[in-house]
Amino acid sequence: MTVALATLSPTIGGLPVFFDGWVGRPRLVAALLLSVGAVARARYFMPASARLLDPVLTSGDEMLRIEAFSSCCGVYARVDLLGDHLGEVSVGTGTTNVDLGQEVRDALARVDDATELRLSVGSAGLRVTTRVGSAVERKVKLPVRWVKGLGEAALAQVGMRPMARLGAVGARRLLDALPPASSASAPPYELVPAQSGFRFSQAPRSGAVSVAGPYRLRELRPLARFATGMRIWARPGDGARSCAFELAVPGARVWFVLSPDVARGFSGEGAALDLLADAPTVAEAVQLRGYLGWRARLDENELAGLADTSPERIQALLTVLGSQGLVGRDLAADAWFRRDLPFAQELIPRLAPRVGRAATITRADIEIRELQSGGHEIFVRSGDIEHRVNLDGDSASCTCQWYTRHLDSRGPCRHVLAARAHLGEVS
């Protein structure tokens, strides 16, 4: 980090910035940045020294998105600074990621209603400026685990719907009454109606939103005084599942997405492995990337026209790009948005190890039998062990230890991936 005077040219490290200007509501913007930074420093499962401290900043389409993961990868946080909140700001297009270090946090902590705050974001990093000085954070290498987590957190939001709405008072009361931290094996809480809006209860209730470790929302508490309302999002149903909390503040939206289990981070969910294991689909997704542009909302019908394919196919291709962190999910817009992160097909085995392991299973290791009742029984040799895979349409099962432990909750095992790939070759 370097500290410089407040009279600065719009560059960082000699490179031009793509977002620059004095923001409106500086105290709120500072609090939003600090909240996201606090999530990046937090580890809600097996507390230890945090290692992943790199918020991702994406500018484009008259808004700035600031994203981070907790060090345990179980909490995804994002702030969307909207156009009417940005003041006298120049908004270009680009993505960078930095470590919010102590000097930047100290500078933000000193911002009040009387302080002017300037943010400069470029490919080389972030500069925070007040009238008395500035602090610069250089761009750092984004951890692979975060790239995987960005994708899995986005896919976890697909299909979520607003399940509860609270006003400003209800949002503050819910955050003030967060249950204390508990062991990772503790059962999830249920979000149930209360006189003031909603509350967390340990009594199971059908149809209620299940929230594992609601104490993981504690970094939202400093923002409660700014809240104008809150929405809670989840897929309909019962049992453990991801959920999202959307806190509305003037000129911005704050998102906290929680994994379905305190001990379960977003980086290992495996929601897109079937698509990633299909080479033609991955190649199409790479081509689609050139059509994305920079929009807060990607129009799937428009992309289908540009790519000369169907909207349904576009959804699959965006899922592939989403799994690699290249697009994120905006629940408020019910759409994908673009990020500019590195992507190459040869990195898929590293980002999705099960896909790489499935690719090592050859046709000689596969024996396919068609069942009279429908579907296929496929024997897959892996080392000295032979596993039995049953495929029937979209349904699949395997006798391996992975499937026995996780069933369908974390995507297919490598034997199912290999079986589907080789079945497709002979069909």
Side-chain angles (χ1 to χ4, degrees):
M1 171 178 297
T2 61
V3 178
L5 297 176
T7 54
L8 301 163
S9 60
T11 63
I12 299 175
L15 298 177
V17 299
F18 46 73
F19 179 98
D20 180 68
W22 299 93
V23 301
R25 300 186 180 93
R27 183 169 69 113
L28 173 54
V29 172
L32 293 170
L33 281 164
L34 288 171
S35 180
V36 173
V39 171
R41 295 193 307 278
R43 189 177 181 93
Y44 302 100
F45 172 61
M46 295 179 64
S49 298
R51 292 187 177 90
L52 307 179
L53 308 176
D54 311 324
V56 177
L57 299 95
T58 299
S59 171
D61 205 11
E62 298 305 311
M63 67 189 310
L64 178 68
R65 300 185 195 268
I66 307 159
E67 305 171 273
F69 272 104
S70 60
S71 195
C72 57
C73 263
V75 178
Y76 164 74
R78 187 178 83 242
V79 168
D80 296 337
L81 286 179
L82 308 177
D84 60 351
H85 192 12
L86 297 180
E88 299 177 5
V89 171
S90 171
V91 183
T93 59
T95 298
T96 193
N97 54 284
V98 298
D99 175 2
L100 286 187
Q102 189 62 51
E103 287 190 65
V104 165
R105 298 201 305 272
D106 287 346
L108 292 171
R110 290 192 292 267
V111 173
D112 56 24
D113 288 331
T115 304
E116 292 181 282
L117 176 65
R118 178 180 181 179
L119 298 181
S120 304
V121 184
S123 57
L126 163 72
R127 177 185 287 116
V128 173
T129 306
T130 67
R131 290 300 182 188
V132 297
S134 71
V136 175
E137 289 289 3
R138 303 297 182 187
K139 182 177 180 179
V140 294
K141 186 177 180 180
L142 192 66
V144 170
R145 191 180 178 200
W146 268 39
V147 176
K148 293 171 63 177
L150 286 169
E152 296 292 351
L155 298 180
Q157 295 172 68
V158 175
M160 284 188 180
R161 296 292 179 264
M163 306 295 285
R165 299 172 186 266
L166 298 87
V169 174
R172 288 193 289 269
R173 286 179 176 173
L174 184 70
L175 293 174
D176 285 343
L178 290 178
S182 56
S183 69
S185 60
Y189 283 77
E190 308 289 336
L191 191 71
V192 300
Q195 187 174 6
S196 60
F198 287 86
R199 64 182 178 85
F200 292 108
S201 170
Q202 290 182 297
R205 181 176 298 193
S206 179
V209 177
S210 179
V211 184
Y215 66 88
R216 294 184 291 171
L217 298 170
R218 65 194 182 203
E219 268 61 60
L220 280 177
R221 278 177 168 166
L223 304 178
R225 66 185 186 275
F226 304 107
T228 59
M230 175 185 281
R231 288 193 291 181
I232 295 93
W233 300 69
R235 293 192 183 102
D238 296 322
R241 56 200 189 279
S242 295
C243 57
F245 288 75
E246 174 197 0
L247 187 71
V249 299
R253 291 188 294 264
V254 187
W255 300 90
F256 272 42
V257 183
L258 306 185
S259 64
D261 190 294
V262 173
R264 178 173 164 182
F266 281 112
S267 59
E269 293 297 277
L273 291 181
D274 279 318
L275 294 170
L276 288 172
D278 185 60
T281 297
V282 173
E284 281 186 67
V286 173
Q287 292 180 336
L288 178 67
R289 186 183 180 190
Y291 296 115
L292 296 184
W294 284 93
R295 302 178 183 89
R297 181 184 188 279
L298 296 177
D299 188 311
E300 295 176 16
N301 290 318
E302 179 184 351
L303 289 173
L306 293 171
D308 193 22
T309 188
S310 67
E312 292 74 23
R313 185 60 173 168
I314 290 296
Q315 291 176 14
L317 301 181
L318 287 173
T319 297
V320 171
L321 295 178
S323 71
Q324 308 303 292
L326 292 169
V327 295
R329 191 71 184 172
D330 187 340
L331 287 172
D334 190 23
W336 300 92
F337 64 88
R338 168 150 180 210
R339 291 189 201 93
D340 190 19
L341 297 178
F343 175 68
Q345 289 174 259
E346 59 269 20
L347 292 179
I348 286 179
R350 183 182 176 195
L351 295 172
R354 270 175 274 169
V355 172
R357 295 188 191 108
T360 66
I361 299 175
T362 67
R363 181 67 183 87
D365 298 319
I366 302 286
E367 180 184 345
I368 301 174
R369 299 176 185 173
E370 189 168 350
L371 300 176
Q372 292 183 349
S373 58
H376 296 82
E377 184 178 56
I378 302 173
F379 292 88
V380 181
R381 283 184 295 278
S382 180
D384 297 329
I385 303 175
E386 188 173 67
H387 303 284
R388 186 175 71 253
V389 174
N390 284 294
L391 298 180
D392 188 0
D394 292 334
S395 300
S397 65
C398 182
T399 57
C400 74
Q401 204 171 33
W402 170 270
Y403 182 84
T404 301
R405 183 183 302 121
H406 300 296
L407 299 178
D408 296 325
S409 66
R410 299 201 181 186
C413 65
R414 65 181 184 270
H415 313 108
V416 168
L417 290 172
R420 282 179 171 155
H422 291 291
L423 180 61
E425 291 176 0
V426 301
S427 298

